[in-house]
Amino acid sequence: MKFRPEDGLRVTVRGSITVYEARGDYQIFVESFEPVGLGALQLAFEQLKKRLEAEGLFSQERKKALPVLPRCIGLITSPRGAAVRDVVRILRRRFPMCS
């Protein structure tokens, strides 16, 4: 499941219903269910965010200040692509001491 069901959560359920005739009980065999309104991924993200916040992982004292200049730059592209040449050219122009 992409999200954890909670009390009071409205969902759309797909499946099949059977009736136990001796007692008149209904039973549903769920094939899939999605939250109404938010998508399953959005709800899973919100639940994860709430859990991590409860652990204190978003508190201000855990955050580090960003450096003025980075020590390294990562670029994910093909080794001979135009993006590599563009980044190198711009870095040489703006920061000649780094080349």
Side-chain angles (χ1 to χ4, degrees), residues 40-58:
L41 287 176
Q42 177 68 29
L43 183 59
F45 172 73
E46 294 296 330
Q47 288 175 346
L48 175 64
K49 186 176 171 184
K50 192 182 301 182
R51 192 184 86 227
L52 294 177
E53 191 171 329
E55 292 178 20
L57 297 179
F58 294 129

Side-chain angles (χ1 to χ4, degrees), residues 8-69:
L9 181 66
R10 295 182 53 175
V11 296
T12 301
V13 177
R14 288 194 173 91
S16 58
I17 296 177
T18 59
V19 178
Y20 182 63
E21 293 181 18
R23 292 191 311 230
D25 291 340
Y26 288 94
Q27 191 175 26
I28 184 166
F29 293 97
V30 176
E31 294 173 10
S32 68
F33 66 100
E34 297 256 336
V36 174
L38 293 176
L41 287 176
Q42 177 68 29
L43 183 59
F45 172 73
E46 294 296 330
Q47 288 175 346
L48 175 64
K49 186 176 171 184
K50 192 182 301 182
R51 192 184 86 227
L52 294 177
E53 191 171 329
E55 292 178 20
L57 297 179
F58 294 129
S59 62
Q60 289 296 325
E61 57 269 3
R62 293 185 67 96
K63 293 186 178 185
K64 295 180 182 178
L66 291 175
V68 177
L69 294 174

